[in-house]
Amino acid sequence: MDEEFRIETDAIHAGQEPDEETGALMTPIYANSTYEQDGPGEDRGYEYSRTGNPTRTDLETNLAALEGGEFGRAFASGMGSINTVLNLLESGDHVVAGDDVYGGTHRIFTQVYEEYDLSFDFVDTTDHDAVRDALRPETELVWVETPTNPLMQVNDVSGLSALAHDYDALCVVDNTFATPYLQRPLELGADIVSHSLTKYLGGHSDVVGGALVTNDPDLDERIGFYQNSVGATPSPFDCFLVLRGTKTLPVRMDRHCHNARELAAWLDDHEAVADVYYPGLESHPQHELAAEQMDDFGGMLSFEFDGSLEQASTVVEETDVFTLAESLGGVESLIEQPAAMTHAAIPREERLAAGLTDGLIRVSVGIEHVDDMKRDLQAAFDAAQ
Ligand SMILES: *Cc1c(COP(=O)(O)O)cnc(C)c1O
């Protein structure tokens, strides 16, 4: 469809034309590796499924429409998409990234690409002076996440894009936490949006995937070259699952946001809780920026249980509605303790200095009834005290 539609309509229809021959409403899972050619070199748009597959094309069209972008590319995981962004750089290039980026992003930057002579500076990206100080003539990329994990810091995408562009660097935004339903970085000046489709876009904790979206045809061509050359492409079945997920993204996100807002307010008033990190709370340090940049505040929040590491572990072990697990963005609520799980590898002193205290608990607020979540957490707090 080439008319301009609202995101609720694009989520269901973009890239999703009924099949011309059979009328099948849903994109078939084109489970094949190769395609018949009419003559040598005369393919009908597809020649080999690493290079292109119709189910993947429909997903890529759908994702581009959601982000308000021209070009979408799907990958086998969020890390596959992040790796492809790094493929765009050359040895000697420099990257500025947030000091609280996703752990896998930090790992591929420092443990894989430093070996290839790329260099990285990790700074507080809410502090634009710090970002400016880190930028150098050889800086080619500014990597931004917002909201960040697990303290839900909100970064100013237009400000950071402008800073990157002053240095002719690309600004890439990992939009996994907000999703295009709440925030569209390309409209704010970013050059590329990166996704882990594993989270809200898939939305059902049943698939791992990634994507990149851009408006720049040259960038897209280079991304396509690396997508095909490196080969971290998703299977047609995985593409089908994500397409099934994106159709309900708007309704799921509405409920995630509603539940997270209610739960954040309840936790904020709770005597067992010392602090709540949720961009929707007026006490959040970047609340106003979040209100401006996002259409709502998302389904992720963290809070500080007023107790020891062991007591906070008891809380996350005792919940039933919240499942103790890493990851996020599915319909079901998840709970985790960064100090003992996702961020356990960071030395304690460093972890505390970054605000990742022993009692910190992160939740991915699902779409169950929020009253059941409150009752569940109350029982877990009681068990821990
Ligand atoms: C999960 C995640 C990734 C990595 O995605 P995978 O699909 O697990 O490879 C990248 N960025 C963020 C913000 C994530 O939450």
Side-chain angles (χ1 to χ4, degrees):
M1 296 198 299
D2 38 32
E3 294 158 74
E4 286 271 313
F5 288 104
R6 304 291 292 267
I7 192 167
E8 291 83 352
T9 310
D10 273 337
I12 293 167
H13 294 292
Q16 295 279 272
E17 302 289 339
D19 183 60
E20 271 183 29
E21 215 164 293
T22 63
L25 222 55
M26 294 303 132
T27 299
I29 300 168
Y30 283 90
N32 59 296
S33 57
T34 191
Y35 304 81
E36 182 188 29
Q37 305 200 359
D38 295 330
E42 289 174 42
D43 61 66
R44 299 172 213 163
Y46 295 95
E47 56 190 26
Y48 188 62
S49 275
R50 166 161 42 69
T51 318
N53 173 286
T55 317
R56 193 173 98 208
T57 302
D58 284 5
L59 173 63
E60 292 175 334
T61 306
N62 186 261
L63 295 171
L66 296 185
E67 283 291 355
E70 284 282 313
F71 309 102
R73 300 274 179 182
F75 296 87
S77 68
M79 292 316 304
S81 63
I82 293 169
N83 179 66
T84 304
V85 171
L86 294 165
N87 291 158
L88 301 170
L89 306 183
E90 290 174 3
S91 65
D93 286 351
H94 174 247
V95 177
V96 176
D99 56 10
D100 51 0
V101 290
Y102 176 70
T105 304
H106 189 274
R107 180 176 56 205
I108 195 173
F109 285 4
T110 56
Q111 294 184 42
V112 179
Y113 280 94
E114 275 183 357
E115 299 291 317
Y116 290 84
D117 202 25
L118 295 181
S119 61
F120 298 86
D121 269 318
F122 297 94
V123 302
D124 175 358
T125 38
T126 64
D127 176 355
H128 290 196
D129 290 332
V131 174
R132 204 175 284 112
D133 287 347
L135 286 163
R136 304 188 212 145
E138 62 273 24
T139 306
E140 292 293 334
L141 177 64
V142 175
W143 185 274
V144 180
E145 268 177 36
T146 183
T148 65
N149 182 29
L151 295 179
M152 309 304 144
Q153 300 235 60
V154 176
N155 284 303
D156 170 6
V157 174
S158 15
L160 291 167
S161 300
L163 276 175
H165 296 158
D166 281 348
Y167 279 75
D168 288 327
L170 295 174
C171 180
V172 180
V173 175
D174 183 329
N175 204 25
T176 300
F177 270 43
T179 83
Y181 184 61
L182 303 181
Q183 162 179 292
R184 284 160 303 281
L186 297 177
E187 289 171 8
L188 299 168
D191 301 285
I192 300 174
V193 172
S194 177
H195 272 289
S196 168
L197 303 175
T198 315
K199 315 296 168 55
Y200 288 106
L201 291 177
H204 297 75
S205 308
D206 55 5
V207 61
V208 172
L212 297 175
V213 180
T214 183
N215 272 317
D216 180 327
D218 296 331
L219 270 178
D220 177 63
E221 198 180 318
R222 292 170 63 209
I223 290 168
F225 171 79
Y226 290 110
Q227 181 192 37
N228 184 41
S229 302
V230 174
T233 50
S235 75
F237 181 65
D238 288 352
C239 294
F240 168 83
L241 284 176
V242 179
L243 270 173
R244 193 174 148 101
T246 57
K247 285 184 204 305
T248 55
L249 178 73
V251 288
R252 283 186 286 110
M253 289 313 291
D254 280 342
R255 180 62 71 89
H256 283 297
C257 292
H258 169 269
N259 284 352
R261 195 180 315 114
E262 279 231 0
L263 198 65
W266 180 79
L267 288 165
D268 205 31
D269 277 342
H270 203 292
E271 57 189 13
V273 174
D275 243 319
V276 181
Y277 303 92
Y278 183 62
L281 290 175
E282 276 176 33
S283 56
H284 185 281
Q286 295 99 30
H287 172 67
E288 273 178 38
L289 170 63
E292 213 172 289
Q293 181 169 275
M294 304 171 73
D295 292 331
D296 206 335
F297 302 102
M300 295 300 298
L301 66 84
S302 296
F303 62 93
E304 168 78 36
F305 182 69
D306 203 359
S308 63
L309 185 87
E310 291 70 26
Q311 283 175 304
S313 295
T314 303
V315 172
V316 301
E317 284 163 10
E318 287 294 321
T319 51
D320 290 326
V321 177
F322 290 88
T323 302
L324 176 58
E326 295 181 6
S327 197
L328 59 115
V331 291
E332 60 287 301
S333 291
L334 302 181
I335 193 163
E336 71 117 354
Q337 184 181 15
M341 297 167 65
T342 44
H343 296 69
I346 308 174
R348 186 162 186 270
E349 287 309 303
E350 219 179 291
R351 183 160 58 64
L352 293 179
L356 306 177
T357 53
D358 292 339
L360 189 71
I361 291 174
R362 187 192 79 174
V363 295
S364 173
V365 183
I367 65 172
E368 304 95 335
H369 201 291
V370 68
D371 290 348
D372 293 330
M373 296 180 196
K374 291 178 193 170
R375 254 207 325 271
D376 191 39
L377 282 175
Q378 183 60 56
F381 292 168
D382 291 345
Q385 274 162 342

